Amino acid sequence: MQITYNPDIFTVRNAVEAKAIILTAETSTTEARWERETPWTCDLIAAQKQLGAESVVLDYGCGIGRMSKALIERHGCRVVGVDISPSMRALSVEYVGSDRFFACSPVMLDLLIGQGLQVDLAISVWVLQHCLTPADDIRALRNAVRPGGGLFIVNNVHRAVPSREQGWINDGVDIKATLARIFQAKDDRLLHSPDVPSSLSGNTYWAYFEKAES
């Protein structure tokens, strides 16, 4: 069967709809996960990479800016948000509410990289598992991160690609292994309850990579 990628799943009318997609309720609630997992993820990031007011972060698959807002509030860093969803990007500007943030499409990210953008840290939280052609997304991450910079991800162990014909499908791509061929793997851990809802326990992970110095 021909499988057609369905980006419409990420089209939303408001922040409530966006939050429900960004952090699905699972065996908890979206709001409970938002309140618990956002600072918890910030703690994980801070343990891997020191950030400050001069740091530039790429939030790849930023949604409405959940992690961007939290990182700016905690570290005062500057964040470039990237998302395929125009509606998510539009909502992110208001949600983050900071002059130290802007959001753009992947096409515009390529332009910025071509003009010399280099970031100290890229994050991609619950995103790469859904991308149609992850090799393209990983290429963008590689090109955006400066030598010596870091990449932090949170993902499902198995892919969940949105299709029009069969809903969420697993195409078998191993994101962590693919990243490890390009970046230097530094640490990774499976996530277990109470870090995540019980329905995700043991089936999700976080990982941190570094880009080799040139």
Side-chain angles (χ1 to χ4, degrees):
M1 175 186 290
Q2 179 70 32
I3 299 299
T4 309
Y5 189 69
N6 181 20
D8 294 342
I9 192 71
F10 305 115
T11 299
V12 295
R13 292 172 294 182
N14 52 54
V16 173
E17 289 185 2
K19 286 185 172 184
I21 292 171
I22 292 165
L23 285 180
T24 53
E26 301 295 331
T27 50
S28 179
T29 67
T30 290
E31 287 300 328
R33 292 190 66 192
W34 201 276
E35 292 301 316
R36 171 177 169 73
E37 292 180 37
T38 304
W40 172 81
T41 307
C42 281
D43 289 342
L44 283 176
I45 293 170
Q48 307 303 316
K49 184 72 173 178
Q50 184 176 354
L51 296 173
E54 297 305 311
S55 302
V56 180
V57 176
L58 171 63
D59 186 355
Y60 196 81
C62 65
I64 65 168
R66 176 175 73 101
M67 295 308 307
S68 296
K69 180 180 179 69
L71 290 173
I72 291 169
E73 290 177 347
R74 182 177 292 204
H75 302 288
C77 55
R78 295 163 291 181
V79 181
V80 178
V82 175
D83 206 280
I84 65 169
S85 168
S87 57
M88 293 269 197
R89 295 197 305 266
L91 289 165
S92 71
V93 175
E94 179 178 0
Y95 179 78
V96 177
S98 172
D99 289 340
R100 301 184 74 81
F101 171 83
F102 79 92
C104 65
S105 68
V107 171
M108 290 303 295
L109 175 64
D110 285 342
L111 175 63
L112 292 173
I113 293 170
Q115 295 298 311
L117 174 69
Q118 293 272 271
V119 303
D120 301 293
L121 174 71
I123 67 170
S124 191
V125 179
W126 304 114
V127 173
L128 294 177
Q129 64 202 37
H130 301 315
C131 295
L132 173 62
T133 53
D136 293 339
D137 302 277
I138 291 169
R139 171 189 54 77
L141 291 167
R142 178 199 65 203
N143 293 340
V145 175
R146 65 168 177 79
L151 169 63
F152 177 88
I153 69 167
V154 178
N155 248 356
N156 288 337
V157 172
H158 304 293
R159 293 258 288 158
V161 183
S163 74
R164 297 191 187 279
E165 294 83 3
Q166 296 186 10
W168 301 99
I169 62 171
N170 176 16
D171 61 5
V173 175
D174 187 332
I175 295 295
K176 185 163 57 173
T178 304
L179 286 168
R181 290 194 287 269
I182 299 171
F183 294 88
Q184 296 176 340
K186 292 298 182 179
D187 202 357
D188 69 89
R189 312 279 176 88
L190 280 176
L191 299 178
H192 294 281
S193 296
D195 299 331
V196 292
S198 59
S199 55
L200 298 176
S201 183
N203 297 310
T204 59
Y205 66 93
W206 69 264
Y208 182 72
F209 303 85
E210 287 184 353
K211 183 174 179 178
E213 297 277 2
S214 57

